[in-house]
Amino acid sequence: MFKLNDNYLKLPGSYLFSTIGRKVNAYSAANPDKKIIRLGIGDVTQPLAPVVIQALHHAVDEMGKAETFRGYSPDLGYEFLRNAIAENDYRARGCNISADEIFVSDGAKSDSGNIQEIFSLDNRIAVCDPVYPVYVDSNVMAGRTGNYDGNTEIWSNVIYMPCTAANNFAPELPKETPDLIYLCFPNNPTGATVTKAQLQEWVDYANKVGAVIIFDAAYEAYISEADVPHSIYECEGARTCAIELHSFSKNAGFTGVRLGYTVIPKDLKCGDVALHSLWARRHGTKYNGAPYIVQRAGEAVYSEEGKAQLKKQVAYYMNNASYIYNGLKEAGFTVSGGVNAPYIWLQTPKGMTSWEFFDYLLENVNVVGTPGSGFGPSGEGYFRLTAFGSYENTVEAVDRIKTLKL
Ligand code: PLP
C-alpha cells in the first residue's frame, strides 16, 4: 500500500488566499448587489505593455515558420535574455554577475519553492515573520520541520525573525545560527525595505557563520529611495553567500505570462562544490525551460521602449500606493510600506484581530484585503492592502474605508 508524504499533512489546512476566496465568494453569493473591491491578492491588473505584446506577436510568427521555429529552449535560458538581464539588472548597477550565472525560469514562486532542494534536510532556515508563505511551506513539504510537535505553524527547524513596528519591519540578526536565510526586500507583505548598509550586515553575517541568503527581489522595480539596494550583489561579499530570485510579474505584469530568474554566483560554494552546479543539475533534470515566446517578451522588457513603458506602469501602481497610504493615514490608521513597494501594511484598529478586520471591511465597505496573521504570527493585528488595483477602484475603496466610524 502506498504511503503519503505526510509532511504535507503537517501544513495548516488551506493556503491563505483560498480561505480569502472562500469567504469573499460566500459573501458575494449572499449579497449579489454589492460591488466588492479586491485589494487583497498581489496580482497586477494593468494590461501588458505594447512593446511586450509586439515581441510576443513577433515570436509567435517565428514559431509558425520552419526557418525560425524553436523547440526546447536551452536548459538555463536563451543567451539573448540572460545577456539582457546581466547587462541591465547587474552590470549597469555595478554588480559583478555574468550571464552564465543566471537561470531563467517560469517565475519566482517556483524558484523560491524549489531552491531548498539543493540543501540538506538538516539545515535550519530563518525567515522574516511575517513572510511570503512559500518559503516556510516548501521547506515543510520537503520535511525540514525539525521536531514536529503537532503545532502546524511553528517548526523547530525554522527560526522566525519578528518584523514589527519596533524594528521598522526589518529583522534583527537571529540569536540561533541558521543555515539558510530567506530575505525579501522590498518586502511582501509589509512593504518595508532595508538600506544597503543594513543588507551589508546580513551579507557579512552570512559569510561569517557560513549561511546562504536567499534574497527575493521580486519587488525591486518599486524602489524609489536612493539608499535601498536593488540587488544583494550591490553588497560586498555577496557572491560567496547569496542567491537572488527575480520575477517579471510585478515589474512587467507577467503574472499570467510567467517568467523569472535566479542568480547563483559561481563563487558560492560548500567546500569544493559550487551551488551553481547543483542548481544547473536540478534545472536540467526537472525543468525544460521557459517558452521561447515568453523569453522574447522578457527581452523586450529591457529595450529602451520597454523600460519607458514599464516605468509608467510601475508609477501607475505607486500612485495608487500613495493614495492608499495617505488616505488611511488621514483616516487615523497607523500605516507603513507603500513607498518602495506596492503594499500598504496597516495596524488593525480597536484591537481587532487580522481576520476580524478582514470580515469587518468585507461586510461594512465591501473591500477585500489580506489578514496579516496569514503571513505569520507577528502579522497578527496587521492587514495588507495592495496597490495593484485600478486607480478608480483604489480611490473608491479608500474613500469607502474613510467613511467607517472607527
Ligand atoms: N516572491 C514574492 C515575495 C512574491 O510576493 C511573489 C508573488 O506574489 C512571488 C515571489 C512570485 O512571483 P512569480 O509570479 O514570479 O512566481
Side-chain angles (χ1 to χ4, degrees):
M1 176 69 185
F2 66 87
K3 289 194 181 127
L4 297 173
N5 172 356
D6 62 5
N7 293 312
Y8 278 66
L9 308 178
K10 298 174 187 170
L11 287 165
S14 88
Y15 187 62
L16 173 64
F17 293 104
S18 8
T19 312
I20 293 175
R22 223 177 25 253
K23 276 179 176 262
V24 175
N25 288 344
Y27 181 82
S28 155
N31 302 276
D33 55 317
K34 303 278 193 203
K35 178 190 166 195
I36 294 176
I37 301 182
R38 293 162 202 264
L39 301 182
I41 193 162
D43 199 357
V44 295
T45 51
Q46 290 295 295
L48 293 170
V51 72
V52 169
I53 294 295
Q54 273 163 22
L56 285 168
H57 279 304
H58 183 73
V60 167
D61 288 342
E62 283 184 299
M63 295 296 262
K65 294 188 212 114
E67 321 76 79
T68 47
F69 168 78
R70 313 273 183 132
Y72 289 124
S73 67
D75 275 358
L76 308 189
Y78 281 102
E79 285 293 315
F80 60 76
L81 178 57
R82 297 164 85 205
N83 286 334
I85 293 168
E87 183 52 44
N88 290 279
D89 288 350
Y90 295 104
R91 267 194 292 282
R93 290 183 177 139
C95 302
N96 175 19
I97 293 295
S98 59
D100 63 358
E101 293 173 317
I102 294 162
F103 297 76
V104 173
S105 74
D106 66 351
K109 189 176 202 175
S110 333
D111 286 351
S112 62
N114 292 328
I115 193 74
Q116 47 75 29
E117 272 187 38
I118 63 169
F119 297 97
S120 158
L121 284 182
D122 296 339
N123 284 337
R124 293 196 74 195
I125 71 163
V127 292
C128 292
D129 167 25
V131 68
Y132 178 54
V134 175
Y135 311 149
V136 174
D137 287 3
S138 57
N139 276 283
V140 170
M141 286 170 172
R144 212 169 276 105
T145 56
N147 301 320
Y148 175 59
D149 67 357
N151 183 333
T152 55
E153 280 176 11
I154 302 292
W155 315 98
S156 69
N157 258 6
V158 180
I159 300 164
Y160 290 86
M161 305 184 290
C163 296
T164 60
N167 56 18
N168 239 340
F169 305 100
E172 281 139 37
L173 297 176
K175 292 190 180 62
E176 301 165 89
T177 308
D179 304 296
L180 307 178
I181 302 164
Y182 288 81
L183 295 179
C184 170
F185 291 104
N187 188 262
N188 175 15
T190 65
T193 49
V194 287
T195 62
K196 188 171 162 187
Q198 282 174 300
L199 191 57
Q200 184 67 56
E201 276 182 39
W202 281 95
V203 168
D204 294 344
Y205 170 78
N207 276 322
K208 189 174 106 203
V209 302
V212 171
I213 297 175
I214 297 164
F215 188 76
D216 188 338
Y219 296 95
E220 165 272 315
Y222 291 83
I223 294 172
S224 66
E225 292 179 323
D227 63 345
V228 178
H230 288 254
S231 162
I232 196 164
Y233 303 114
E234 289 176 37
C235 297
E236 235 168 85
R239 284 186 56 86
T240 52
C241 70
I243 292 173
E244 185 162 279
L245 312 174
H246 272 258
S247 169
F248 284 73
S249 288
K250 313 298 162 115
N251 64 330
F254 277 33
T255 53
V257 177
R258 308 307 306 144
L259 191 66
Y261 69 86
T262 286
V263 178
I264 307 192
K266 291 186 176 163
D267 299 345
L268 178 48
K269 292 185 177 164
C270 182
D272 291 341
V273 183
L275 272 58
H276 184 281
S277 63
L278 263 66
W279 190 240
R281 184 75 172 85
R282 194 246 170 231
H283 229 55
T285 302
K286 294 196 178 183
Y287 188 60
N288 254 341
Y292 171 71
I293 56 175
V294 171
Q295 294 196 49
R296 280 294 185 198
E299 180 190 27
V301 165
Y302 294 104
S303 64
E304 287 313 310
E305 233 184 327
K307 285 184 209 168
Q309 290 173 7
L310 293 167
K311 203 168 156 193
K312 275 199 197 146
Q313 204 168 79
V314 167
Y316 176 92
Y317 292 129
M318 288 312 280
N319 185 42
N320 290 349
S322 67
Y323 194 88
I324 302 173
Y325 183 95
N326 292 326
L328 294 185
K329 211 164 176 189
E330 270 167 41
F333 285 90
T334 304
V335 281
S336 59
V339 176
N340 296 295
Y343 294 123
I344 284 83
W345 191 238
L346 55 123
Q347 252 172 49
T348 55
K350 303 224 153 131
M352 283 188 223
T353 66
S354 300
W355 278 110
E356 279 166 0
F357 188 60
F358 174 91
D359 291 334
Y360 182 84
L361 272 195
L362 177 61
E363 284 157 25
N364 289 282
V365 287
N366 310 138
V367 171
V368 179
T370 311
S373 56
F375 299 100
S378 296
E380 184 54 279
Y382 285 91
F383 201 74
R384 189 192 77 174
L385 291 175
T386 90
F388 285 129
S390 68
Y391 178 69
E392 294 70 24
N393 277 348
T394 303
V395 168
E396 192 176 339
V398 172
D399 293 352
R400 286 190 203 170
I401 294 173
K402 280 179 162 177
T403 64
L404 291 168
K405 303 272 172 288
L406 285 163

